Amino acid sequence: MSAPASAAASSPVSYEIADRIATITVSRPDKLNALDRATITALGEAIDRARASAEVLGVIVTGAGRAFVAGADISQFPTLSEEEARRFAQHGQTVFRRFETSPKPVIAAVNGFALGGGCELALACHVRLASDAAKLGQPEVKLGIIPGYGGTQRLPRLVGKGRALQLILTGETIDAQEALRIGLVNAVVPAAELMATARKMMGQMIANSPPALALAIETVERGLDMPLDEAIALEAESFGRCATTEDMREGARAFLEKRAPKFIGR
Ligand code: COA
């Protein structure tokens, strides 16, 4: 059952809920969904709305038309001062961090070009599924800039320093199969099956206990930047927090009673 999108018709980002999954679609297809200030702001509003909604258990991010997102809107660049450029980066970084720290799983359904800020948006999601038509890359150096929405940090964390630097320094665009080979995307599917595959995977995720999902995301995200001893201490802490939930009792009871669990989200 689809809830009506309440965003204004002119919004560069659409938001729909079906089967407890919010789909956030970047919709400036005539500009290949390039991220201008209004689009970044609308993306931030959409993820905050999904995070706050009791109806939503998971989020899928995608793009309208032939692009996922072809990067930050280049038309803004020629006149940026140093201070404006710094704020421009901070604005996108803050919004993308809302995707990464979402306690509800976020899947990027990469339907086409994911370049620059588009690749960075996908990197800020928990899982990336690519259509076989997707093209990914960090072409910023070709414009005399560097990735500014987290790409210099998330890309090496995901694919390793050498592969990340190769992509960032050449500015090359790679296809979906190459992105799969280097671990930049989790899977590649035929374009026509992309959204169904994303919904199926999200369905598998959100059938699980919401607090367990939130704790798993938080523990992975925070732990990766800690020394191992601190990170496993965090894991034990999070594991302990699972035991404060009804869902933990229900999960174990359901297994022992050989039935499907009925999670209540606390
Ligand atoms: N910022 C602003 N506008 C963009 C854009 C971006 N990042 N990417 C695409 N567009 C616009 C184009 O200017 C064009 O607008 P126009 O029709 O008003 O001229 C429209 O989107 C279609 O793009 P076009 O270049 O004609 O399509 P294409 O199929 O020939 O090429 C790309 C597709 C993705 C290869 C090409 O658009 C491109 O290289 N985009 C920039 C990618 C980039 O460098 N991103 C990082 C930015 S930091």
Side-chain angles (χ1 to χ4, degrees):
M1 175 76 176
S2 191
S6 72
S10 61
S11 172
V13 171
S14 71
Y15 178 93
E16 288 174 355
I17 303 172
D19 304 326
R20 308 204 68 181
I21 301 168
T23 300
I24 296 173
T25 308
V26 185
S27 300
R28 287 183 82 206
D30 53 325
K31 294 291 175 193
L32 301 185
N33 304 328
L35 302 174
D36 60 2
R37 175 170 292 279
T39 308
I40 289 277
T41 300
L43 266 175
E45 287 166 0
I47 186 64
D48 281 350
R49 189 171 163 194
R51 288 176 64 141
S53 166
E55 190 187 348
V56 172
L57 295 177
V59 179
I60 296 174
V61 186
T62 193
R66 66 191 175 99
F68 177 69
V69 166
D73 192 317
I74 297 168
S75 65
Q76 308 168 113
F77 291 165
T79 59
L80 283 187
S81 69
E82 180 176 357
E83 179 53 25
E84 286 166 342
R86 188 180 301 118
R87 282 213 217 100
F88 172 90
Q90 285 165 346
H91 184 208
Q93 287 172 355
T94 303
V95 168
F96 286 9
R97 191 81 176 125
R98 300 292 292 162
F99 285 80
E100 187 169 49
T101 61
S102 164
K104 301 171 184 181
V106 183
I107 295 178
V110 181
N111 53 301
F113 292 112
L115 301 175
C119 191
E120 291 169 301
L121 173 59
L123 286 168
C125 298
H126 301 131
V127 167
R128 285 149 293 285
L129 299 180
S131 115
D132 53 9
K135 303 254 189 263
L136 301 95
Q138 299 287 167
E140 287 88 347
V141 288
K142 296 183 176 186
L143 300 165
I145 54 174
I146 66 168
Y149 289 168
T152 63
Q153 303 308 309
R154 292 193 183 99
L155 188 59
R157 280 169 170 74
L158 186 66
V159 304
K161 181 175 154 186
R163 283 169 172 156
L165 277 171
Q166 181 181 334
L167 281 172
I168 291 169
L169 298 181
T170 60
E172 70 183 323
T173 297
I174 58 173
D175 64 19
Q177 283 304 332
E178 177 63 2
L180 179 64
R181 194 187 69 79
I182 67 171
L184 175 49
V185 298
N186 296 60
V188 179
V189 299
E193 292 166 26
L194 179 65
M195 288 311 287
T197 307
R199 296 191 70 79
K200 187 171 169 208
M201 183 183 285
M202 185 56 79
Q204 244 180 306
M205 291 178 179
I206 66 177
N208 300 313
S209 154
L213 295 176
L215 284 163
I217 292 169
E218 185 190 329
T219 308
V220 170
E221 295 296 345
R222 288 182 51 205
L224 267 181
D225 290 324
M226 292 177 177
L228 186 65
D229 282 333
E230 268 178 51
I232 58 174
L234 171 69
E235 183 186 73
E237 195 60 37
S238 300
F239 195 85
R241 284 165 65 193
C242 293
T244 68
T245 67
E246 280 298 310
D247 277 357
M248 178 183 176
R249 323 260 165 243
E250 168 61 10
R253 265 196 315 261
F255 176 81
L256 296 172
E257 292 166 11
K258 301 188 188 307
R259 60 173 174 81
K262 288 198 185 80
F263 292 123
I264 58 171
R266 57 177 197 277

